Amino acid sequence: MRHDVIVVGLGIMGSAALATLAARGQNVLGIERFDLGHAMGSSHGVNRIIRIAYFEGAAYVPMVQRAARLWETLGERLGERILHVTGTLDLAPDSHVLTRQSRESCLVNNLPFEELDAREIMRRFPAFRIPRDYAGIFQPDGGFVASDRALAGLQMLALADGAEIRAREPMLGFDPLPGGGVRVRTTGGTFEADSLILATGGWIGTHIPALAQLAVPERQVLGWFRPENPAAFQPGAFPTSILWSEAGHFYQLPIWGAPGFKIGCHRHLNQQGPAETMDREVHPEDEALLRRGLAFAFPEANGACLRLTACHYTVTPDEHFILDRLPGAPQVIVASPCSGHGFKFGSVFGEVLADLATGREPGFDLSMFSLSRFGL
């Protein structure tokens, strides 16, 4: 039977698109090469930051505001909280580009925010121990998404709304059809549809060779550590935060969903390579890097390491996403929202991808995510 849409890759972007399409009554097939909820890609890790004051570019803000509303709606449908509002804090040395851009994003988009000096940050959030020349932008609407629950919930809703899912079934290739539509070949069979959404993350370059040097997998390691005073790191006492320092560009989340205080370092050790052979073991140097961030700003959390886990980003040269129709085959939609800041947009990009796959006009300007910026 020919499907309306096939979605390949059921991480957060593919699963959100699958659920949106199924809810709209589309005949949709989802294909995943691993188990559902696997840890081989970029969509696991207990929880993920959602920032409204987006310093990567003010154009992101309307999309992340829509994403936040959709995460709330998903939680209502599942009967559990998916979006947790803790406020977000971006901090760096006073007048650093990170806080300047965060402030500008708030001003341009009329977002509530506070400018806090180091003394006020440490008074309000006692877990922080930062140099006196640091300052921060506190935005009260951000927080974190319960990522593992969101992913599983979208997949369950997609099934409940009639989607078909074939897990543990790698795609071998796809072929645009001369009369329109597309044929997808997997280890389990051959399937046809009017359109195809490719959301295969670190494997996108193996499916579209032109992206092999433009969407590059990069190893990432997250750590959970035991604080001396856990109360200072709980939601309500600790905001999700981004911290720039000479030791690294760190991000932190309060204790929730797993034992320990979660910290990571953006771009980690800058180790790139194929997703298929990515090193998913953890090593002493991984823990040492994260401990440098703890020692710099969170000394009370520099206790026992409770968990280390490796994953990967898929990084583009400008660290913006790829979200576009494939040149020469517009029935194929390429979705590689990557570079380490894509998860929070999963809910809204589920809508955007569903629109692109069914001939609707998305409600956002996607020009900054186009393939044409790379000359494709």
Side-chain angles (χ1 to χ4, degrees), residues 149-186:
R149 294 300 305 149
L151 181 64
L154 287 166
Q155 293 164 351
M156 289 189 294
L157 292 178
L159 289 169
D161 287 336
E164 179 185 354
I165 292 180
R166 300 177 70 94
R168 304 175 63 84
E169 189 169 323
M171 181 178 75
L172 301 177
F174 70 91
D175 302 291
L177 299 175
V182 64
R183 179 179 295 124
V184 174
R185 293 171 284 109
T186 76

Side-chain angles (χ1 to χ4, degrees), residues 19 22-23 71-80 156-158 160-161:
W71 290 130
E72 288 183 328
T73 300
L74 176 63
E76 291 168 1
R77 189 169 179 194
L78 294 173
E80 59 183 290
M156 289 189 294
L157 292 178
D161 287 336

Side-chain angles (χ1 to χ4, degrees), residues 114-169:
E114 296 178 77
E115 298 187 59
L116 307 178
D117 61 19
R119 179 176 297 181
E120 178 61 15
I121 289 169
M122 291 186 286
R123 184 197 70 80
R124 192 179 300 189
F125 309 115
F128 288 86
R129 295 289 185 270
I130 54 177
R132 292 182 179 274
D133 66 339
Y134 267 55
I137 302 296
F138 178 74
Q139 206 287 319
D141 301 321
F144 63 86
V145 176
S147 53
D148 292 357
R149 294 300 305 149
L151 181 64
L154 287 166
Q155 293 164 351
M156 289 189 294
L157 292 178
L159 289 169
D161 287 336
E164 179 185 354
I165 292 180
R166 300 177 70 94
R168 304 175 63 84
E169 189 169 323

